[in-house]
Amino acid sequence: MKSPDAVAALAETFKILGDPTRVRIAFSLAREELCVCDLANLLGVSQSAVSHSLRALRQMRLVKFRKEGKIAYYTLDDEHIAHLLDEGFRHVEDFV
């Protein structure tokens, strides 16, 4: 059995990914590095909504960023998150 801390951390990760906008952001960042304005345009949501979602994803260490001048470019924190998303989509696409 996994430790209670590990179980709680995974549950919190799934909780954060329980929001469709956050899943779309994470999926987009699994494909390429993007800034807030690019994500907003790609997803058709406001920059404010993207920033709010990115903050939650950053706090869970699911995404990271680098600054270039005044612009922050985001990507997934590591390949484990991309694998988690890929497996999740593989699972649900059989039913949709």
Side-chain angles (χ1 to χ4, degrees), residues 13 17 22 26-27 29-31 57 60-63 75-88:
T13 297
L17 290 174
R22 291 184 193 137
F27 183 76
L29 295 177
R31 300 327 183 235
L57 293 166
M60 286 301 300
R61 295 179 304 154
L62 300 178
V63 300
T75 188
L76 292 184
D77 191 62
D78 61 44
E79 74 280 351
H80 296 110
I81 307 309
H83 294 301
L84 180 64
L85 291 169
D86 289 341
E87 287 299 317

Side-chain angles (χ1 to χ4, degrees), residues 46-90:
S46 70
Q47 288 186 21
S48 176
V50 169
S51 292
H52 179 75
S53 292
L54 283 169
R55 183 177 20 252
L57 293 166
R58 271 195 332 266
Q59 288 172 342
M60 286 301 300
R61 295 179 304 154
L62 300 178
V63 300
K64 61 184 177 182
F65 70 96
R66 69 174 180 84
K67 297 266 306 202
E68 192 171 297
K70 292 184 178 184
I71 300 175
Y73 291 93
Y74 292 85
T75 188
L76 292 184
D77 191 62
D78 61 44
E79 74 280 351
H80 296 110
I81 307 309
H83 294 301
L84 180 64
L85 291 169
D86 289 341
E87 287 299 317
F89 279 120
R90 241 188 312 282

Side-chain angles (χ1 to χ4, degrees), residues 16-36:
I16 293 298
L17 290 174
D19 176 78
T21 299
R22 291 184 193 137
V23 171
R24 293 172 67 208
I25 289 171
F27 183 76
S28 298
L29 295 177
R31 300 327 183 235
E32 63 182 314
E33 181 182 66
L34 296 165
C35 66
V36 171

